[in-house]
Amino acid sequence: MPRPRVTTFTDTFGPPIQCTAEQRQFKTHSPDTHPLDLFTPAINICSIPAPRFVHTDNTHMASILIFTDGAAVNENTPDQRAGFGLYFVPGTRGFGQAVESVPGHACNTNRAELRAALAALTIRFWPGEGFRRIVIGASSEYVVKGVCEWSDNWRRRGWRTSRGTAVTNRDLWEMLFARIDEFEESGIKVQFYLLKSQWNKVAADRAVEAALESANDVPSQVTGIAYVDL
C-alpha cells in the first residue's frame, strides 16, 4: 500500500488559516463521484504506520477522509439511547461508541451525528500522521449544512434560529467549532463532505450497534475520547 506524497513533516504545520463557512464544505465535480474514487487506501506518515483513506492534491497536501454517522433508538421516550460510528481504517469494521446522556439534551439522531463529527476530530491527532486537511464525511445534512450554511447566522443571533428558538445541541456545536478553530490556527483545514447514505454504511452500522448496546450508565457529560490504536 503506498504512502501519500506529502511535504516533510514538522511541528509547524503552516500559517493560521481562517475559512468561511462555505470554504468548509468539501465539494466534488459531480455529486455522483464516489468518495473512494477520490480517497484511496494509503499508509499514513507516522511512527506507527497505518492505512487511511487518503487524497493528495496537486499541492501535495495529504487529506484524510473519516466516515461518520449517528443513530438513535427509542427516540422521544425515557429509554432513548444513541451511538455514533467512525470509519477511517480501510478494511476494518470501524469504531462505535455510545453518546453521552447529557441532562437537557435529547439523545436523538441529530445529536449522535454531531457527536460523531466531534469524535472524528479528537480520536486521533491527524496532523501527526502527516495530514494537512481533515475531511469529515457525513450523510447528515444537519451536520454538513449546520457547519457550512447555517452556523454564521446562528452565532450572529446569539445561537438562535431564524424563528427565534434556541439552537439545539449548542454545547456540541460550540465544542466542534472550538476544535475546528484550533486546527485552523495551526494551518490545518477541516472540511465537511455530504455523502450519500449508501456510501456510509460502515459508520452507520457501528452507530446503530453502539446505540443498541449502550448501557444505562453512560456518562452524563461529554467526555473526551482517548486516542485509540487504529
Side-chain angles (χ1 to χ4, degrees):
M1 191 177 294
R3 286 181 180 267
R5 295 168 61 200
V6 296
T7 54
T8 303
F9 173 78
T10 67
D11 291 334
T12 302
F13 306 127
I17 57 177
Q18 188 172 10
C19 294
T20 64
E22 184 179 4
Q23 289 170 337
R24 287 178 177 149
Q25 183 161 6
F26 182 85
K27 298 179 180 180
T28 61
H29 293 298
S30 166
D32 294 322
T33 300
H34 196 287
L36 297 187
D37 290 335
L38 299 173
F39 293 83
T40 55
I43 300 298
N44 61 4
I45 306 298
C46 190
S47 57
I48 304 176
R52 303 288 186 243
F53 295 108
V54 176
H55 172 70
T56 304
D57 63 18
N58 56 11
T59 67
H60 296 178
M61 179 176 71
S63 307
I64 181 172
L65 173 63
I66 307 160
F67 294 85
T68 71
D69 204 8
V73 295
N74 305 322
E75 289 192 70
N76 303 314
T77 74
D79 189 35
Q80 61 184 359
R81 291 171 289 164
F84 65 83
L86 307 178
Y87 178 45
F88 56 87
V89 184
T92 68
R93 297 184 71 253
F95 170 86
Q97 183 169 302
V99 173
E100 301 87 349
S101 181
V102 180
H105 296 281
C107 229
N108 57 24
T109 300
N110 279 352
R111 187 169 180 86
E113 292 167 340
L114 185 55
R115 185 67 181 87
L118 177 61
L121 295 180
T122 58
I123 195 168
R124 298 283 298 171
F125 182 59
W126 302 116
E129 297 194 12
F131 299 111
R132 299 298 175 264
R133 176 169 58 183
I134 304 162
V135 180
I136 308 299
S139 45
S140 165
E141 288 193 350
Y142 175 70
V143 170
V144 177
K145 290 188 175 182
V147 172
C148 304
E149 296 182 23
W150 305 332
S151 58
D152 284 351
N153 287 330
W154 287 344
R155 292 195 273 192
R156 274 196 293 267
R157 300 187 194 106
W159 289 98
R160 294 277 170 179
T161 68
S162 59
R163 291 172 293 196
T165 58
V167 171
T168 56
N169 301 312
R170 175 178 172 178
D171 60 330
L172 292 184
W173 283 116
E174 290 186 320
M175 291 179 197
L176 180 65
F177 282 113
R179 190 66 175 154
I180 292 171
D181 289 344
E182 288 176 6
F183 278 119
E184 290 185 355
E185 278 293 313
S186 300
I188 306 298
K189 181 176 286 189
V190 179
Q191 291 185 307
F192 290 76
Y193 182 4
L194 186 59
L195 303 174
K196 294 182 180 182
S197 58
Q198 62 265 34
W199 296 341
N200 203 26
K201 190 174 186 306
V202 176
D205 287 349
R206 299 295 79 74
V208 171
E209 284 181 2
L212 290 171
E213 296 172 1
S214 61
N216 294 325
D217 59 348
V218 295
S220 60
Q221 60 183 5
V222 177
T223 58
I225 295 181
Y227 291 105
V228 295
D229 185 18
L230 291 171

